[in-house]
Amino acid sequence: QKEVEQNSGPLSVPEGAIASLNCTYSDRGSQSFFWYRQYSGKSPELIMSIYSNGDKEDGRFTAQLNKASQYVSLLIRDSQPSDSATYLCAVNPDNYGQNFVFGPGTRLSVLP
Amino acid sequence: GAVVSQHPSRVICKSGTSVKIECRSLDFQATTMFWYRQFPKKSLMLMATSNEGSKATYEQGVEKDKFLINHASLTLSTLTVTSAHPEDSSFYICSARSGTSGYEQYFGPGTRLTVT
């Protein structure tokens, strides 16, 4: 069974710090990876997608992918209280299939 | 770009009635749409995958006769909860994938269903 694991948290960081969110996956053949942010009572919002090993930066967000270690992470620089949310890691097992496998989410709390 | 809408955002209905939820991709054509439900403080649970013009594929344990899905066009999918019961109360979220630009799924804002 394909699995995606995340630390459920809560992960607490002070305002201005770097928040590091981690995700591991079981299917070595997985091809594409996504980070979603979900505020309480709202639906998930796509933050980043990453397909190749290495880093991908978008504003304050950096996604890091290491397929050999089956590990993907999300770094949030200069964390703000508005970043407080649950972050979901999603893995597309293959680029022909259609269904994501979602992790359980990590709850991030940025303290002012 | 990549905006998905859902209607209604919130609905309260009596036990035994049916409720229809609409999911629309507003600025792209969605070859595939997904329906999820989410209980409080839990992760997303995929219910079914629908491709335009074909029958939906339901996940194990999801009753296809209870949760009717129609994907009649490239911009619209509907989920009908038939003969709703209080245990069907949940947050229902759709997502859409264009199929022509990456593999990202874009989520609608969700529909909160309460069955009394």
Side-chain angles (χ1 to χ4, degrees), chain B residues 24 31 37 40 49 52-54 61 85 88 91 93 104 107:
Chain B
R24 292 182 185 273
T31 53
R37 66 187 297 183
T49 302
E52 184 263 340
S54 60
H85 290 283
D88 298 325
F91 191 42
I93 316 173
E104 291 84 355
F107 284 86

Side-chain angles (χ1 to χ4, degrees), chain A residues 9-28:
Chain A
L11 171 67
S12 294
V13 300
E15 183 174 356
I18 296 175
S20 177
L21 303 162
N22 304 316
C23 171
T24 59
Y25 57 95
S26 63
D27 185 355
R28 183 171 289 279

Side-chain angles (χ1 to χ4, degrees), chain A residues 37 47-48 56-62 75-77:
Chain A
R37 175 176 63 198
I47 299 177
M48 297 277 286
K56 179 181 177 183
E57 187 174 317
D58 184 359
R60 295 187 296 114
F61 299 99
T62 300
L75 301 178
I76 306 174
R77 287 183 300 282

